[in-house]
Amino acid sequence: MAIEFSERIRRLPVYPVAGGYALGEDVAMLASNESPDPPLGAVVAAAQRAVAGANRYPDPSNARLKRALSDRYGVPAARIAVGNGSCDILLAAGEALLEPGAELVYAWPSFSIYPHLAAASGARAITVDLDDAQCHDLDAMAAEITAATRLVIVCNPNNPTSTALPFEDIAAFVERVPRHVAVIVDEAYCEFNLLDDPDTTLDLLARHANLVLLRTFSKVYGLCGLRIGFGLCGSEDFPRAVDQVRQPFFCNVAAQAAAVEALSHQDAVADRVERVIVARVEIESGLEALGLEPLPSQANFCWFDLPEGADEAGVVGGLAARGVIVRAGGALGRSGALRVTYGTPVENARFLDALGAVL
Ligand SMILES: Cc1ncc(COP(=O)(O)O)c(C=O)c1O
């Protein structure tokens, strides 16, 4: 007889992970919005030193890292949540805030993990379609907030569409959300957003105790393999609650040490952003030369519709056959679109050549 699993397991969607990890070296991995740049030598060395002491559990209070984050972002350490990737904080937020009868509001298409929060908790997911420009429709989202709403998530810039809303729109929206409803602004890609300085939203924390700015070391810091993210919060309640629902040692020694070291190299962050902007311009003009219309990207990836009638799976397969792994829009909420992460200049050229050949 088969094992009998919980009803929750039947509700939970399977996260659409990218393929290609087993394909070997000569593959352009443009499917997971990773950084093409390996961690800095000093960051690797810090992680290695920490691993030498791995016979001890990691500091469960993440004290050094919270101090370093506090220094960098000007948010008191007690108002910072740390996680095993920012996904860990999202899932913990679901567990801490949601339950049957509660509601969660987010846009769609948006980040693939958000549906898990409702499915895991038994809460109701209220999804609000993106507008015609494939941006968050914040008026429509505000209209969906009811007495049952516990959490609203805004992804800015949005994954998978790469679009962003300006700071004034985000600020006006947060102002409209009732104070007892948590708002997570997922800013995983904020460093690549040229609409506003990524530090601008920090000012909102002083005014909104219900606000969490969710950030990660996975993208611009290039540490996704170590799994570490953080939330900058308007009050101490959110970090306390997400810590309460997780195991004590959720953040390993190497990740903590690498993150502290990475924070002290803001010049490298600026260099990476610059390379991403160069790649953005190259890829946008390459796509336009192929007659495609990528959305205005504020992230480290692009999103575009394939030509009318093109076979999405065939295009993704054709690119894979040419050593380029990208994401099919169908798995991310919009069939007939592709999401492609910017890689190195060589990978980007390979992608554009391969796409030209496939189309
Ligand atoms: C919008 C968004 N938020 C959060 C994450 C999670 O990142 P991590 O768990 O690696 O910090 C991702 C990852 O791709 C993302 O696209």
Side-chain angles (χ1 to χ4, degrees), residues 12 15 44 53 56 64 123 131 141 167-168 170 201 255 285 324:
L12 276 172
Y15 181 81
V44 173
R56 302 288 175 203
R64 249 185 94 217
D131 65 15
M141 289 180 72
F167 169 74
E168 299 78 54
I170 300 290
T201 44
S285 52
V324 181

Side-chain angles (χ1 to χ4, degrees), residues 89-359:
I89 300 176
L90 282 165
L91 293 171
E95 207 174 324
L97 291 159
L98 302 177
E99 57 200 340
E103 291 178 358
L104 156 70
V105 178
Y106 56 89
W108 199 253
S110 195
F111 182 38
S112 316
I113 206 78
Y114 302 157
H116 286 242
L117 275 62
S121 61
R124 210 167 136 227
I126 310 291
T127 55
V128 177
D129 288 346
L130 299 178
D131 65 15
D132 292 342
Q134 296 193 55
C135 289
H136 279 60
D137 183 343
L138 294 178
D139 285 337
M141 289 180 72
E144 292 294 350
I145 296 172
T146 69
T149 310
R150 290 271 179 79
L151 172 63
V152 181
I153 307 177
V154 175
C155 189
N156 198 52
N158 188 43
N159 177 12
T161 58
S162 77
T163 49
L165 291 177
F167 169 74
E168 299 78 54
D169 294 13
I170 300 290
F173 176 75
V174 175
E175 197 74 50
R176 289 171 75 178
V177 179
R179 300 181 71 77
H180 63 278
V181 176
V183 186
I184 295 180
V185 180
D186 186 342
E187 299 189 316
Y189 303 97
C190 65
E191 293 86 355
F192 309 115
N193 179 3
L194 296 185
L195 296 184
D196 292 293
D197 184 302
D199 287 352
T200 313
T201 44
L202 298 175
D203 293 342
L204 296 175
L205 294 172
R207 296 206 296 280
H208 301 286
N210 56 337
L211 178 63
V212 176
L213 303 175
L214 190 67
R215 304 223 175 163
T216 182
F217 284 94
S218 293
K219 308 300 174 183
V220 81
Y221 289 101
L223 295 177
C224 61
L226 285 177
R227 313 301 304 122
I228 185 150
F230 57 102
L232 304 169
C233 309
S235 83
E236 297 179 15
D237 298 345
F238 183 90
R240 204 179 293 123
V242 290
D243 282 355
Q244 211 176 330
V245 297
R246 291 178 295 174
Q247 57 151 325
F249 305 107
F250 51 77
C251 194
N252 71 74
V253 287
Q256 291 190 36
V260 169
E261 183 63 33
L263 279 171
S264 70
H265 297 275
Q266 293 298 315
D267 46 342
V269 170
D271 289 347
R272 281 168 189 219
V273 170
E274 210 173 295
R275 284 197 288 278
V276 162
I277 305 306
V278 171
R280 181 184 291 169
V281 173
E282 269 170 20
I283 291 213
E284 278 178 8
S285 52
L287 290 173
E288 281 160 12
L290 293 172
L292 300 163
E293 293 177 21
L295 290 185
S297 172
Q298 297 298 342
N300 65 341
F301 57 89
C302 60
W303 176 253
F304 56 92
D305 285 338
L306 290 168
E308 194 81 26
D311 163 26
E312 178 188 289
V315 172
V316 171
L319 290 173
R322 289 163 176 78
V324 181
I325 308 297
V326 304
R327 289 313 298 272
L332 305 175
R334 184 178 169 98
S335 296
L338 284 193
R339 192 193 70 190
V340 184
T341 310
Y342 307 142
T344 62
V346 170
E347 290 170 331
N348 297 338
R350 184 169 176 177
F351 157 64
L352 289 170
D353 285 349
L355 187 64
V358 170
L359 290 179

